[in-house]
Amino acid sequence: MSTLSNAVPESSREAPGITPAIARATRPFYWSVRRELWENRSIYIAPLAVGAVFLFGFLLSTVFRLPAIIRGLPMMAPAKQQAEILTPYDFAAGALMLTQMLVGLFYSLDALHGERRDRSILFWKSLPLSDATAVLSKAAVPVIIVPLLAGAATVVVYVAMFLLSSAVVAGSGLSVHPMWVQLPLFQLSLGILFHLVVVHGLWHAPFYGWFMLVSGWARRAVILWASLPWLALIAFEKIVFNSSHVASLLINRLAGDNMSMATGSMAMDLAARLGWARTLISPGLWLGLLVTAGFLFVAVRVRRSRGPI
């Protein structure tokens, strides 16, 4: 019986719809990403903690303020009604966006530097794992994983806020219909997921690629080495040419080149206003991804030649 069980080809145990060759090629990358999640618990603990704190504050605010707001809605203009209802959701989105940016920033600055500092790079280099796989798995965390986790946490917070506010309003003897009419929960969730993945993930990818490159190169003070060259370049351009193109480029990239700005609610109608196709084929987005690929290529070469600190 054991002989028969051992004779079962490995390909039969692969996930359905995935060829054995593809599964074998992607398995090191998959487990490398999972290793990053195991070793860096702040990636998912930080958005959960911020969401929990915000929900506690929202519950207190809802109990004391929301019934009075609902009673005053009929006397407000439609735009004002929606603004009153959506303001807490904008605050929640803003708090989790900031959390996502900070987690991505500090993770990228420590991604390659940390393994050199604690000398674990000697262990990982002893495994049959290429430098490219190691660097790409680390780059996937701030560009894809962290925005997805922050987006999922935001949607969960949105649903919890919706249920809590509905329970408080109904418990006060008021109708929840006016609040539900002014609260397109599906659009909010879709907009915030789009914003976090495309803007805070893909659009900001050059920043994370640069931080990882410096993380693999610098021996200490990574954040200084990551910022000083750009500050020096901005100062040089201003002194010599009396222009600020570099500063404008960095600010536009950080701000999402107006991709992150929307009238009214922060997340409301973002996907519909910009258009999925138009945003995803934006030359600025793909040019930034090419720059990111260049930074990561150099980071792979640096990791290959650098040893422990």
Side-chain angles (χ1 to χ4, degrees), residues 43-245:
I43 292 172
Y44 53 87
I45 290 178
L48 291 177
V50 171
V53 171
F54 185 88
L55 279 178
F56 178 72
F58 175 77
L59 176 61
L60 297 179
S61 174
T62 299
V63 170
F64 294 107
R65 295 184 64 249
L66 187 59
I69 293 175
I70 298 298
R71 292 188 186 96
L73 284 181
M75 296 177 289
M76 302 178 186
K80 180 65 174 175
Q81 293 180 12
Q82 191 171 64
E84 286 286 344
I85 297 298
L86 293 180
T87 295
Y89 293 82
D90 282 349
F91 280 124
L96 286 163
M97 283 180 195
L98 179 60
T99 302
Q100 178 264 326
M101 293 178 68
L102 292 176
V103 170
L105 168 67
F106 287 105
Y107 172 85
S108 301
L109 290 172
D110 193 61
L112 298 177
H113 187 265
E115 65 179 9
R116 295 168 57 215
R117 186 179 59 249
D118 62 18
R119 295 179 175 266
S120 63
I121 190 173
L122 298 175
F123 170 74
W124 297 115
K125 282 192 172 185
S126 68
L127 300 179
L129 185 68
S130 67
D131 293 292
T133 300
V135 171
L136 290 177
S137 64
K138 292 176 182 294
V141 172
V143 175
I144 300 174
I145 304 300
V146 174
L148 283 175
L149 291 176
T154 307
V155 172
V156 171
V157 170
Y158 278 174
V159 174
M161 291 169 64
F162 178 78
L163 296 177
L164 286 173
S165 57
S166 298
V168 170
V169 171
S172 301
L174 301 173
S175 173
V176 297
H177 182 263
M179 183 182 67
W180 288 3
V181 169
Q182 301 296 339
L183 186 60
L185 192 60
F186 178 77
Q187 283 182 284
L188 283 175
S189 302
L190 188 65
I192 201 63
L193 282 172
F194 170 84
H195 181 91
L196 284 168
V197 173
V198 176
V199 179
H200 289 254
L202 299 179
W203 190 266
H204 288 169
F207 291 111
Y208 300 129
W210 169 253
F211 293 151
M212 290 191 63
L213 169 58
V214 178
S215 174
W217 171 82
R219 294 185 62 86
R220 57 181 60 87
V222 181
I223 193 169
L224 290 179
W225 284 111
S227 56
L228 285 179
W230 296 103
L231 294 176
L233 188 58
I234 291 171
F236 175 81
E237 181 193 6
K238 185 65 177 177
I239 294 172
V240 177
F241 302 105
N242 194 28
S243 60
S244 56
H245 298 299

Side-chain angles (χ1 to χ4, degrees), residues 12-28:
S12 64
R13 296 193 293 269
E14 302 291 354
I18 301 178
T19 63
I22 296 177
R24 284 193 294 270
T26 57
R27 189 181 296 114

Side-chain angles (χ1 to χ4, degrees), residues 254-269:
L254 182 62
D257 195 23
N258 296 323
M259 291 173 64
S260 61
M261 304 301 176
T263 57
S265 173
M266 183 183 300
M268 181 67 175
D269 293 331

